[in-house]
Amino acid sequence: MTEMVRPGPRTATAALPVLAAGAVYAGASWCFAGSSAPSGALALVGGAVLVLGVCAAYSVLVGGTGGLFGALLLALGLLLAVAAADQAAARTATATCAVREVRTRVQSSAGEGAPPARTVYRFLLDCPGGYPAELKEDRPVAERGQRIRVAFDPAHRASPELQGRTRPWKAGLWAAALLALSTVIAWAKRRPYREDRT
């Protein structure tokens, strides 16, 4: 008597996070690419439908609390994949901008074991031509009245970044970790069956 794992929907579900991440990253990269990409509104709606649809399918296929928890991890991983695509997008133009105002906002997390509070810095800018009008960073890169170099996409598809500051690997690593966890949850839900070899 041997115990084997029956290939089927549960095993296929384990591949869903990787396939979905590839589709989302490719779609986001295309949307940030430029002239042949769809409008921003269409890209946003299409991306939201894809992410919600994949997460709903994952939750149903895996089932139970594991399915809900795994779907949440999957959603976060897919959103981080979009962030990585945004940060990897080409920003072919640069501008020297004056910092008009600096605003801060503290993002706190609730619950035991939650990450510590994070401060987001929003720099309101005066740039030649009026764009970009603001820049968001997780650290204070300049004070009011100072000038900074900003890299941006002339088509306004990718968010502006401090010149030389794009780091797609950070969001990519977090996305990979969350997608790996959702894959492990789906893989663990496989149902064994017994085969009698006597």
Side-chain angles (χ1 to χ4, degrees), residues 10-177:
R10 297 295 183 189
T11 305
T13 305
L16 187 60
V18 175
L19 296 174
V24 166
Y25 186 86
S29 296
W30 176 51
C31 290
F32 293 131
S35 59
S36 66
S39 69
L42 183 61
L44 183 63
V45 171
V49 168
L50 176 61
V51 170
L52 291 174
V54 166
C55 292
Y58 177 98
S59 180
V60 169
L61 290 170
V62 175
T65 55
L68 291 175
F69 185 64
L72 177 61
L73 293 175
L74 177 57
L76 293 173
L78 294 178
L79 292 176
L80 283 167
V82 173
D86 174 47
Q87 292 172 1
R91 291 163 176 81
T92 57
T94 58
T96 301
C97 305
V99 177
R100 181 166 35 93
E101 188 179 345
V102 181
R103 297 179 183 170
T104 59
R105 182 166 53 97
V106 177
Q107 295 179 339
S108 56
S109 302
E112 187 176 340
R118 174 175 166 257
T119 302
V120 176
Y121 295 85
R122 184 173 165 226
F123 301 90
L124 303 183
L125 305 174
D126 283 327
C127 298
Y131 184 83
E134 69 174 33
L135 177 71
K136 291 181 181 176
E137 285 285 332
D138 57 2
R139 64 185 179 95
V141 296
E143 297 178 357
R144 182 178 178 180
Q146 291 184 322
R147 301 179 78 77
I148 57 175
R149 291 284 292 173
V150 180
F152 64 94
D153 172 20
H156 301 186
R157 290 185 174 272
S159 58
E161 292 277 352
L162 197 64
Q163 188 176 23
R165 179 96 162 123
T166 54
R167 301 175 312 236
W169 60 267
K170 188 174 181 181
L173 286 176
W174 277 107

